[in-house]
Amino acid sequence: MTSKLDQLKQYTTVVADTGDLDAISRLKPVDATTNPSLLLKAAALPRYAHLLDEAVSGCQGDLGLACDRFGVAVGQEILKVIPGRISTEVDARLSFDTQATLRRAERIIGLYDQAGIGRERVLIKIASTWEGIRAAEQLEKAGIQCNLTLLFSFAQAVACADAGVFLISPFVGRIYDWYKKAEGRDFVGAEDPGVQSVARIYQYYKANGYQTVVMGASFRNLGQIEQLAGCDRLTISPDLLQQLSDDQGELPRLLNAGSGEARQSLDESSFRWALNEDAMATEKLAEGIRLFARDQEKLEALLAARA
């Protein structure tokens, strides 16, 4: 009997949600994603110490540049052991500034270019705010493909598809967390609100012919992953990847393209109203940006101490 991880790979492209090279080498995902929190964890690993020193060298105190250089350096190391793409994130503190997001994204892709890494192997991660989606729309037209993250609502997914972004990362686990706390009960299987959110988006995209890739993210348990077997991609932590690798049970495809809703289009005001009406998405988007911003600041402090 093959493992659940091997069975999952038959339906879905598996992505490692980590900067841990040892885990990536062991579990052999196609792609990998990083974010400020994962880079902060990577910075604590001895094997990356020299990359921290190289990142601050010659930056003249520009800690934002040092963070970008470190993120790209970690990305380069990961690309040596995966066949696919690395996602590298723009500073979350720029989430409400389209032009600043554009400049930072162009700098990150420029650093990869200087390292000899082709654009076809990099995705720029941007928060799914209105401003972030507009920046991604321009980047896509310039040939820089994007991963729109911190996505919690159907409205965000609709706007991302209209903008022609390459990939979205709806956050299953954080949606689950919110509803579990709000309703004071657990959710399992297909009733999980995070699972339902991704399934709805996936079916909407397929029904309307959108090419945007749906990559479920932020999983809390194997049940959530199993319910989304068949999604375009799933980005999974090393712990859960290992559990899937160790489990020899059957893993059928449960997510299929079915009847989706009619195509929608949102202007700025209707997008903001729809997001405002979704208390979970409003709270989790704001919280996610804040948490990534704090970890970005911690990474900057770590780099400053080495300057």
Side-chain angles (χ1 to χ4, degrees):
M1 190 71 180
T2 57
S3 71
K4 283 188 175 180
L5 180 58
D6 287 336
Q7 292 174 70
L8 179 63
K9 288 177 179 179
Q10 296 174 23
Y11 320 121
T12 293
T13 298
V14 174
V15 180
D17 197 11
T18 182
D20 184 342
L21 269 179
D22 292 332
I24 293 169
S25 298
R26 184 176 68 254
L27 296 163
K28 296 179 170 53
V30 174
D31 295 344
T33 59
T34 60
N35 60 43
S37 303
L38 294 175
L39 288 177
L40 187 62
K41 289 179 182 177
L45 300 175
R47 71 185 307 160
Y48 289 138
H50 70 288
L51 297 182
L52 289 168
D53 293 329
E54 291 169 7
V56 296
S57 177
C59 281
Q60 285 80 46
D62 186 341
L63 295 176
L65 175 58
C67 283
D68 286 348
R69 288 174 66 178
F70 179 67
V72 169
V74 172
Q76 287 177 251
E77 293 301 307
I78 292 171
L79 285 172
K80 292 175 183 176
V81 295
I82 61 171
R85 295 172 179 257
I86 185 68
S87 289
T88 300
E89 192 150 348
V90 169
D91 188 337
R93 293 169 297 184
L94 306 179
S95 295
F96 303 102
D97 188 330
T98 297
Q99 293 305 313
T101 296
L102 281 168
R103 289 192 295 272
R104 189 61 67 89
E106 288 164 351
R107 182 165 78 184
I108 290 169
I109 208 72
L111 290 168
Y112 275 112
D113 285 342
Q114 290 169 25
I117 305 295
R119 295 184 179 192
E120 74 282 355
R121 298 204 68 197
V122 180
L123 293 177
I124 299 296
K125 283 181 79 174
I126 299 170
S128 300
T129 58
W130 180 259
E131 295 81 2
I133 295 167
R134 299 281 67 80
E137 184 175 37
Q138 294 184 52
L139 290 166
E140 293 283 353
K141 289 175 180 176
I144 300 171
Q145 292 183 313
C146 300
N147 171 351
L148 272 288
T149 188
L150 293 174
L151 193 146
F152 302 98
S153 74
F154 189 67
Q156 289 172 293
V158 167
C160 285
D162 274 350
V165 306
F166 178 78
L167 180 148
I168 63 166
S169 295
F171 275 39
V172 178
R174 296 194 197 185
I175 295 174
Y176 162 83
D177 293 343
W178 192 91
Y179 280 101
K180 184 178 179 181
K181 181 178 179 180
E183 298 190 14
R185 67 185 184 96
D186 202 359
F187 299 89
V188 296
E191 71 165 356
D192 187 311
V195 168
Q196 291 177 351
S197 176
V198 176
R200 181 187 180 193
I201 292 165
Y202 177 84
Q203 289 162 352
Y204 172 75
Y205 278 15
K206 302 311 174 191
N208 291 288
Y210 288 113
Q211 297 302 304
T212 299
V213 174
V214 180
M215 182 172 74
S218 169
F219 293 102
R220 297 293 180 258
N221 55 63
L222 289 189
Q224 293 171 337
I225 296 168
E226 291 170 358
Q227 287 294 321
L228 293 173
C231 194
D232 297 328
R233 303 185 189 190
L234 297 176
T235 182
I236 304 169
S237 68
D239 286 348
L240 288 174
L241 283 173
Q242 190 62 56
Q243 289 180 44
L244 285 167
S245 182
D246 293 340
D247 193 334
Q248 301 296 310
E250 288 190 26
L251 180 62
R253 177 172 185 157
L254 294 180
L255 182 62
N256 293 282
S259 56
E261 295 154 70
R263 183 180 287 243
Q264 302 178 32
S265 186
L266 300 173
D267 60 15
E268 182 176 355
S269 60
S270 57
F271 171 87
R272 293 192 186 282
W273 180 251
L275 192 60
N276 182 75
E277 286 290 273
D278 189 331
M280 175 277 299
T282 300
E283 292 175 24
K284 298 309 286 187
L285 174 61
E287 177 189 68
I289 290 171
R290 285 195 302 271
L291 291 172
F292 280 164
R294 297 297 83 78
D295 282 342
Q296 183 83 12
E297 290 163 0
K298 291 174 185 174
L299 183 58
E300 287 183 355
L302 191 63
L303 287 161
R306 303 180 81 98

